[in-house]
Amino acid sequence: MDYVKITPSQFKKGLESKKNMLVFGKSGIGKTATVYEYAEEHGLKVVDYDLAGRLPEEVAGIPAVQDSYYKRMLDEDLQEMFAKKGEGFILLFDEVNQGSPDTLNTLYRITHPNPEMRKWAGHDISKCQIVACGNMSDGTDGTVYLTDLPTPLVNRFFVFQLTTSNKETTDYLKKKYKNIPQVAKYIKVMLDADISPRDVDLALDILQYDYDGMFLESKLGAALTAKIYDIQKGIKNLDPAELIKNARKVYAQFKEDGEVMFGAETITTEEDLKHKFEEFLSDEEIKGVMEGGE
């Protein structure tokens, strides 16, 4: 089935509505990370309830006798959320496809689209925000699950498919790893090789701390790892001052002619030229080049 495609920024915007959201997407594309970023930005807590391998009793609560009555015993990690009726919490059902059919059957009351009807084993969670994330079950994202989600459960959510643009991924990772010289060049090479945003993130972390190359190879493969290290070797041999000097010459030529040759490509807009500069200059260095500063 085709779902409405959204970017991480649109995902965050959708979360502001407090509606139940079910988001599918490729492994490593940033579904869970986007929920955590949103929660941090808004001062919310995330109860990350991974359904993989959970028994139905774990979700519905294990019956236990207390004062001659049966009470559903649940994970202690949920008690703070229950005490506040879910206020200030995002309840995230991660890897929702990996829940067994019996486990998924326990979610109907918890995820009720009417907040006032939401209860978890008798606990009122009417003020809790509900989000679920999973992989496409038809194999279109390279992953196939034996468990498909029942339609009545899916109907409790607004369903979307998360996609990312290279620009959005690059902007986020450039900001996160701004201490790595010419980080945009590394990002471009990995994204061009169809490496997932999560694995690009992990690879940059490995480069940042100069970990053993075997870790990089385990994520990128031998050929791409060799290419990354060739780039690193070349970057270390470059004079940053010379790069900035050359960029200023290119920009001055662009301003004079309205276009400029960059390698084999003709650049006709300032935005495209900026993207080219991003491959080897930091944002501050680009700003200095384009504004005539130091």
Side-chain angles (χ1 to χ4, degrees):
M1 180 176 179
D2 291 329
Y3 298 113
V4 174
K5 292 179 172 60
I6 58 173
T7 64
S9 57
Q10 289 175 314
F11 188 6
K12 288 182 182 179
K13 188 69 176 176
L15 288 169
E16 294 177 3
S17 71
K18 309 298 182 185
K19 301 291 186 183
N20 287 2
M21 292 186 72
L22 168 58
V23 178
F24 293 112
K26 292 182 179 180
S27 178
I29 202 169
K31 302 182 294 294
T32 303
T34 301
V35 175
Y36 273 90
E37 288 167 21
Y38 172 83
E40 184 176 355
E41 292 167 4
H42 291 78
L44 303 172
K45 293 183 178 181
V46 179
V47 173
D48 193 339
Y49 209 78
D50 192 330
L51 290 180
R54 286 196 184 263
L55 297 173
E57 293 83 356
E58 291 182 78
V59 185
I62 301 172
V65 176
Q66 182 175 349
D67 299 328
S68 300
Y69 292 94
Y70 276 106
K71 181 179 180 180
R72 293 277 179 176
M73 305 298 290
L74 293 165
D75 196 325
E76 288 186 3
D77 292 341
L78 302 173
Q79 300 310 311
E80 183 183 0
M81 181 181 70
F82 291 152
K84 297 180 179 180
K85 298 184 179 180
E87 187 167 11
F89 285 83
I90 295 176
L91 177 55
L92 172 61
F93 289 110
D94 209 357
E95 300 294 350
V96 67
N97 306 69
Q98 296 199 51
S100 69
D102 287 341
T103 300
L104 293 174
N105 284 338
T106 66
L107 300 182
Y108 287 101
R109 191 65 185 271
I110 297 170
T111 61
H112 201 287
N114 180 354
E116 298 303 319
M117 298 291 288
R118 286 182 202 147
K119 290 189 181 295
W120 193 335
H123 295 277
D124 181 354
I125 56 169
S126 58
K127 300 183 183 300
C128 190
Q129 187 168 357
I130 311 291
V131 182
C133 295
N135 292 72
M136 301 290 282
S137 60
D138 59 3
T140 54
D141 66 356
T143 306
V144 179
Y145 288 101
L146 295 177
T147 303
D148 205 353
L149 297 180
T151 301
L153 182 60
V154 172
N155 288 343
R156 280 167 153 65
F157 295 87
F158 290 91
V159 188
F160 302 93
Q161 182 178 348
L162 188 66
T163 61
T164 58
S165 67
N166 282 0
K167 183 182 185 307
E168 192 165 21
T169 299
T170 299
D171 289 346
Y172 168 72
L173 291 175
K174 275 182 60 183
K175 183 178 180 181
K176 183 175 181 180
Y177 294 100
K178 59 185 177 183
N179 59 312
I180 298 180
Q182 299 184 48
V183 64
K185 180 171 286 191
Y186 294 115
I187 296 170
K188 183 178 187 305
V189 167
M190 287 186 276
L191 290 178
D192 286 348
D194 204 27
I195 302 299
S196 74
R198 180 178 61 193
D199 284 344
V200 174
D201 192 345
L202 290 171
L204 291 171
D205 186 64
I206 292 166
L207 287 169
Q208 176 177 236
Y209 295 106
D210 200 23
Y211 290 137
D212 193 299
M214 68 179 185
F215 292 105
L216 201 61
E217 191 169 334
S218 74
K219 287 296 177 187
L220 305 181
L224 186 55
T225 297
K227 192 171 184 179
I228 290 293
Y229 279 129
D230 283 344
I231 292 171
Q232 186 183 63
K233 192 182 301 181
I235 287 172
K236 287 180 178 178
N237 294 330
L238 292 174
D239 180 357
E242 190 67 22
L243 287 172
I244 293 173
K245 180 181 177 181
N246 289 337
R248 284 185 174 139
K249 287 182 180 178
V250 170
Y251 186 65
Q253 189 69 45
F254 172 79
K255 294 297 286 186
E256 182 176 339
D257 298 341
E259 64 179 29
V260 69
M261 289 296 294
F262 204 105
E265 186 178 351
T266 301
I267 303 298
T268 58
T269 69
E270 191 165 296
E271 187 66 21
D272 286 342
L273 183 57
K274 181 181 176 183
H275 288 326
K276 288 296 182 181
F277 285 158
E278 285 174 348
E279 295 180 15
F280 54 89
L281 297 178
S282 70
D283 289 342
E284 287 188 5
E285 288 168 340
I286 294 171
K287 184 178 180 181
V289 166
M290 293 187 159
E291 294 182 0
E294 296 296 328

